[in-house]
Amino acid sequence: MAYDEHLASRLRHVVGDAPEISERKMFGGLCLMERGHMLVGIVGSDLMVRVGPASTRRASRKNTRDPWISREGP
């Protein structure tokens, strides 16, 4: 599945080009990473956003498509 290149361009602009930022093709889409940890991802035209534990409940109550919640991570 291809990812929305216009959305990818917008995210690159917001995230910036600092040396610790990288891109990786994953999930059939694109992920923008910081020091190897996912910040945001694009699958098709869907945006995946990593939020911290304190924001998980609030983020999952928003009008989202299908929240995917993982308790793993740093």
Side-chain angles (χ1 to χ4, degrees):
M1 172 185 282
Y3 57 87
D4 183 329
E5 190 58 53
H6 178 68
L7 180 56
S9 177
R10 291 174 58 199
L11 288 174
R12 289 179 187 115
H13 178 74
V14 170
V15 173
D17 61 355
E20 62 271 7
I21 302 297
S22 62
E23 294 184 11
R24 183 178 296 171
K25 291 186 178 181
M26 334 175 57
F27 312 114
L30 179 73
C31 286
L32 297 179
M33 322 270 288
E34 180 181 27
R35 295 184 187 98
H37 299 283
M38 184 180 131
L39 293 172
V40 295
I42 307 166
V43 177
S45 61
D46 292 333
L47 178 67
M48 296 185 298
V49 179
R50 180 177 178 188
V51 297
S55 301
T56 301
R57 174 174 264 177
R58 187 176 64 206
S60 66
R61 282 187 276 144
K62 299 286 182 189
N63 186 17
T64 58
R65 192 162 175 199
D66 291 312
W68 174 63
I69 299 173
S70 172
R71 302 285 183 227
E72 299 175 18

